[in-house]
Amino acid sequence: MWVRTRATVAGGVVLILVAVIAIWLVVRQVGDNLTLPLVARKCTVQADGRVALDADQMANAATIAAIGAKRGMPERAVVVALATAYQESGLRNLADGDRDSVGLFQQRPSQGWGTPAQIRDPRYAANRFYAALKKVRGWEKMRVTDAAQRVQRSAFPEAYQKRADDSEVLSRALLGDASGAVACTVGRTPAMYGAAAAAQLTRNLVLDWGLKGTDPTDPTGLAVTPGDQRDGWRYAHWLVSHAQDHGVKRVRFGDLEWTARNGSWGRVDGQQSPAGQVVAEVFNEG
């Protein structure tokens, strides 16, 4: 009986090893084309393509796009920046990385990108990336991976290209080229409530987009008057992208409305947002 038990255990171990090797071979063969279900993904972006991200990734992507637009960089630059951050950090503001690399773009203090604290600021990191990209002669005509590599000087110069298609989808949505394209599901416990949420939301919208005249004193939310339809969707998508970390309950622009309850955009029949404004409401306290 002991011999039989040992044989059974040995057989089980062999089967497990075979299964592990098989999975490894499949992953190696399929690589980035293998899509696994990720429960943490709470945001979907649909703009001539579809990308799924979690709340942190979505908020970081929105800030990167906004900083590029505020600097007057063309959409192609935003695609390059998003592809770079996607590949370097998975669009996460990492505390560490290879050697002394930190942040969204894995920039290194030892190479003059700034202090670790500065680089961990997504706005600072994005600004530094765009400034470096702008100095690359002819970057506008390069492949995404070549332009990114001229800035990053990675040991894997072709790696950025695999993020190009997703970054183009993100860029189209976050720069306002699509309506109702960013939809996020917000958890039952927002990070902030009430006046504190409204004030922080207003402050960060101003920091990312450089808006002026936005009232930071409204405890229920905020309202922004865009210059045109494209600007309206830029701000609306940014607000939804930052819904989880800023306690956003509702966003409305035109006759479309996103709600945290549904996590999606829907048409509001017979109602338009006031005076063409983008309106955001935050969760009340309690």
Side-chain angles (χ1 to χ4, degrees):
M1 183 175 179
W2 171 244
V3 173
R4 184 181 301 173
T5 301
R6 290 180 60 186
T8 301
V9 171
V13 171
V14 170
L15 289 174
I16 292 172
L17 287 173
V18 170
V20 169
I21 292 171
I23 292 172
W24 178 80
L25 289 172
V26 169
V27 171
R28 184 178 180 184
Q29 180 70 28
V30 179
D32 290 321
N33 294 322
L34 180 64
T35 302
L36 299 176
L38 296 178
V39 177
R41 288 182 171 176
K42 297 181 180 179
C43 296
T44 57
V45 182
Q46 299 194 63
D48 295 330
R50 185 179 184 277
V51 177
L53 302 174
D54 67 26
D56 287 341
Q57 291 174 304
M58 193 71 244
N60 289 326
T63 289
I64 291 170
I67 295 300
K70 184 171 72 170
R71 292 180 63 95
M73 299 294 286
E75 186 167 339
R76 181 70 172 177
V78 175
V79 173
V80 174
L82 287 170
T84 302
Y86 208 158
Q87 175 59 29
E88 291 286 358
S89 68
L91 289 170
R92 301 185 189 283
N93 195 13
L94 301 179
D96 52 28
D98 180 44
R99 286 169 282 189
D100 60 336
S101 301
V102 295
L104 287 169
F105 296 90
Q106 288 291 278
Q107 294 155 330
R108 297 179 61 190
S110 63
Q111 294 183 346
W113 286 99
T115 67
Q118 287 175 322
I119 297 171
R120 286 292 307 282
D121 179 346
R123 297 181 188 91
Y124 175 92
N127 270 304
R128 287 300 307 270
F129 179 86
Y130 285 119
L133 179 64
K134 194 173 182 178
K135 293 178 182 178
V136 176
R137 181 176 298 179
W139 70 266
E140 301 93 336
K141 298 180 181 179
M142 296 179 183
R143 291 188 306 154
V144 167
T145 198
D146 294 333
Q149 173 64 5
R150 291 290 296 274
V151 176
Q152 300 294 108
R153 302 190 181 282
S154 167
F156 305 96
E158 289 294 318
Y160 305 106
Q161 195 63 33
K162 63 187 177 184
R163 304 296 187 182
D165 289 346
D166 284 352
S167 296
E168 288 179 359
V169 173
L170 291 171
S171 179
R172 281 192 292 269
L174 294 170
L175 294 181
D177 294 327
S179 302
V182 177
C184 294
T185 301
V186 176
R188 295 183 178 181
T189 306
M192 308 182 77
Y193 293 89
Q200 187 72 7
L201 185 68
T202 302
R203 176 179 179 274
N204 287 337
L205 182 66
V206 170
L207 287 173
D208 277 11
W209 287 103
L211 301 179
K212 297 180 180 180
T214 305
D215 182 8
T217 61
D218 185 350
T220 64
L222 60 83
V224 181
T225 302
D228 55 27
Q229 186 83 357
R230 190 181 188 218
D231 279 347
W233 282 113
R234 289 181 175 190
Y235 306 148
H237 289 154
W238 184 95
L239 289 163
V240 174
S241 298
H242 284 277
Q244 180 65 49
D245 57 350
H246 287 74
V248 180
K249 180 180 180 180
R250 187 187 315 272
V251 177
R252 180 182 292 184
F253 181 53
D255 61 352
L256 292 178
E257 180 179 79
W258 169 89
T259 63
R261 179 178 181 179
N262 296 326
S264 61
W265 290 89
R267 195 167 300 279
V268 184
D269 294 332
Q271 299 183 43
Q272 293 277 338
S273 56
Q277 292 182 319
V278 180
V279 178
E281 177 187 350
V282 298
F283 282 96
N284 294 323
E285 295 186 55

